């Protein structure tokens, strides 16, 4: 989250400092999946190709129960340049983002422990302890706490981390695995004892996750215990060996109500944590960063009005956090359902539902995070009956075209028929609107797309007065060219 935010802000020309208490980046696989929407954001950041080259493209997920395959979700049909789940161990994700930051002249300051902060009249003063033990005070315009589930920034803000710790134990194994049924795909097994999930990483290296019965948090599992669960819940052919990482954990489902207090922002695990079902956590945090960065950059440049832009971050991303919590909680509950009768009903209902093509398509769109949208954003003007995609929805990513400006300045992009109307609006808002108009998404429509690739305005062709009205609401008046 912090690395993504730093990369975006630096791309937009802002000066950042990235502090990390850890003396070195993680060497564990941890968060594995980078979903399609996140890869699209990484493309814009400039390092998407490096992620694709480093990762494994997984085309789908198969769910098994009662000795048969209940359903299969195919990602290859989703409408994205990246129609797959990209498996990249978190150790590689952090490395790739650090390497990208380094190309922009930014180094992560490791061993730097955040101590405290205070808001000033025009910014934030943060105090941290450097690796050499000396304390340093940093003055900045804003502070972003991307500092994890135990966030010191969140604690100083005294924000309640509302939620629960689920009373179930889980085991995790990063292992070499032979005998899988669907090589190169994710496999989920709904068993009477619980769920077993298998994620391919590279070659025969897999991640296994399984819930355990019992009320006490167990010690990290042994390879023998991992094999016992594989044998009990999966196909008889499964054989584990050469463990790289074995661990146990419990699931927390918690979230703050507000992602912003004054000049201080929270993102990622500092703001929300939830079940690993669906691999949404890291992606949600990275997209928090992408949402916040362009707003900070527009305000910092003097082109955007601070009030509406920064006030929109928390409601937009908190709404997404609520959705992710609800979906992952429900998915975990379904997968870990206990009781013979309940499991029988679940399996048969799931097989029936997953047999419907549009259900599979919708599930794939949700899983890949292409369905993330801001329909109730306070930023967006509502125009009922407007064309699709509507305000708040993801702008289509068409072959050979990006729906956002490729420049260093965050700009809105118009999609529609050009002419004098566009020229007049572009001339009046030279710091907000990309001077190049793109072809409309469909005939008869006009769209204005935000710097993060979401539709800001959807209206009828030629309604440049609506575009001007929308930009005036976000524009810092001193950056505007007066109308003639």
């Amino acid at each position: 989250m912090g690395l993504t935010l730093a990369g975006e802000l630096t791309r937009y020309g802002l000066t950042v400092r990235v502090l990390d208490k850890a003396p070195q980046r993680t060497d564990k696989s941890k968060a594995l999946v980078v979903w399609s929407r996140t890869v699209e954001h990484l493309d814009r950041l400039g390092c998407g190709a490096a992620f694709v080259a480093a990762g494994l493209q997984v085309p789908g997920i198969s769910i098994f129960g009662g000795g048969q395959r209940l359903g299969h979700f195919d990602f290859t049909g989703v409408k994205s340049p990246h129609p797959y789940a990209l498996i990249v161990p978190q150790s590689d994700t952090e490395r790739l983002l650090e390497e990208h930051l380094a190309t922009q002249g930014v180094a992560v300051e490791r061993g730097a422990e955040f101590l405290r902060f205070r808001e000033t009249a025009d910014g934030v003063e943060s105090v941290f302890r450097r690796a050499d033990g000396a304390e340093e005070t940093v003055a900045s315009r804003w502070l972003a706490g991307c500092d994890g589930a135990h966030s010191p920034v969140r604690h100083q803000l005294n924000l309640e981390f509302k939620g629960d710790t689920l009373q179930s134990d889980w085991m995790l194994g990063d292992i070499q695995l032979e005998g899988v049924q669907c090589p190169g795909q994710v496999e989920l097994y709904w068993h009477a004892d619980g769920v077993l999930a298998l994620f391919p990483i590279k070659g025969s290296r897999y991640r296994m996750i399984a819930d355990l019965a019992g009320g006490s948090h167990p010690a990290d599992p042994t390879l023998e215990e991992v094999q016992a669960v594989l044998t009990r819940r999966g196909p008889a052919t499964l054989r584990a060996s050469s463990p790289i990482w074995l661990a146990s954990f419990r699931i927390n489902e918690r979230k703050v109500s507000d992602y912003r207090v004054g000049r201080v922002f929270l993102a990622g695990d500092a703001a929300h944590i939830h079940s690993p079902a669906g691999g949404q956590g890291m992606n949600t945090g990275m997209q928090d960063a992408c949402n916040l960065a362009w707003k900070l950059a527009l305000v910092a440049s003097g082109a955007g009005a601070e009030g509406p832009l920064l006030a929109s971050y928390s409601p937009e991303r908190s709404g997404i956090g609520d959705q992710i919590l609800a979906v992952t909680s429900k998915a975990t509950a379904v997968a870990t359902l206990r009781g013979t009768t309940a499991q029988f009903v679940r399996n048969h209902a799931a097989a029936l539902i997953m047999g419907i093509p549009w259900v599979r398509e919708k599930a794939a769109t949700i899983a890949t995070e292409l369905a993330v949208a801001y329909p109730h954003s306070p930023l967006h003007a509502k125009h009922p009956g407007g064309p699709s995609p509507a305000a708040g929805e993801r702008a289509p990513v068409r072959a050979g075209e990006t729906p956002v400006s490729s420049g260093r300045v965050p700009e809105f992009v118009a999609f529609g028929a050009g002419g004098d109307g566009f020229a007049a609006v572009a001339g009046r808002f030279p710091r907000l609107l990309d001077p190049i108009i793109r072809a409309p998404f469909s005939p008869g429509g006009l769209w204005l797309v935000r710097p993060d690739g979401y539709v800001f305005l959807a209206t009828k062709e030629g309604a440049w007065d609506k575009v001007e009205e929308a930009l005036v609401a976000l524009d810092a008046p001193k950056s505007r060219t007066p109308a003639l």
Side-chain angles (χ1 to χ4, degrees), residues 383-387 458:
H383 295 281

Side-chain angles (χ1 to χ4, degrees), residues 41 100 105 120 148 159 212 226 260 345 354 356 364 373 375 436 439 484:
H41 284 301
H100 180 72
T120 63
L159 293 176
L212 305 172
V226 167
R260 177 202 181 194
V345 172
M354 288 187 285
I356 303 173
I436 301 174
L484 297 177

Side-chain angles (χ1 to χ4, degrees), residues 439-457:
F441 298 128
S442 60
L446 173 61
W447 292 264
L448 196 61
V449 175
R450 300 172 9 163
D452 58 352
Y454 289 92
V455 175
F456 178 67
L457 171 70

Side-chain angles (χ1 to χ4, degrees), residues 34-36 39 52 56-59 75-76 78 81-86 368:
V34 183
W35 287 111
S36 305
V39 185
V52 173
L56 173 69
Q57 298 178 22
V58 172
F75 303 137
T76 61
V78 299
H82 306 286
Y84 44 76
L86 187 65
T368 53

Side-chain angles (χ1 to χ4, degrees), residues 144-208:
C146 307
D147 47 348
H150 302 288
S151 168
V153 174
R154 186 187 68 241
H155 283 301
Q156 187 173 334
L157 289 172
N158 199 30
L159 293 176
E160 184 180 358
F161 211 23
K162 299 177 182 177
D164 299 294
T165 299
L166 302 187
Q167 297 304 305
S168 59
D169 300 313
W170 294 73
M171 69 160 54
L172 173 154
D174 188 340
I175 54 177
Q176 299 294 324
L177 186 63
E178 304 293 341
V180 296
Q181 294 192 78
C182 306
Q185 298 195 40
V186 176
E187 299 178 22
L188 298 181
Y189 294 89
W190 291 348
H191 188 268
D193 292 348
V195 66
L196 168 66
L198 303 177
F199 299 84
I201 299 177
K202 185 177 182 180
S204 61
R205 181 182 174 187
Y206 271 73
R207 159 81 58 80
M208 71 81 70

Side-chain angles (χ1 to χ4, degrees), residues 375-449:
H376 306 297
S377 171
L379 277 182
H380 302 150
K382 304 300 187 295
H383 295 281
S388 180
E393 295 181 357
R394 165 183 167 270
V397 183
R398 300 184 292 204
E401 178 184 77
T402 174
V404 297
S405 172
S406 59
R408 285 181 60 87
V409 177
E411 295 174 316
F412 290 76
V413 177
F415 290 76
D420 293 341
F422 171 70
V425 175
R428 192 179 182 201
F429 300 95
R431 300 183 65 186
L432 279 181
L433 186 59
D434 189 306
I436 301 174
I437 193 170
R438 320 287 176 85
F441 298 128
S442 60
L446 173 61
W447 292 264
L448 196 61
V449 175

Side-chain angles (χ1 to χ4, degrees), residues 17 96 109 125 163-164 189 224 273 276 280 286 330 333 388 390 396 401 415 426 437:
R17 291 186 69 173
L96 291 167
E109 299 177 53
E125 287 186 353
D164 299 294
Y189 294 89
E224 290 72 24
I273 53 174
Q280 305 290 304
M286 293 171 75
K330 186 176 296 185
S388 180
E401 178 184 77
F415 290 76
I437 193 170

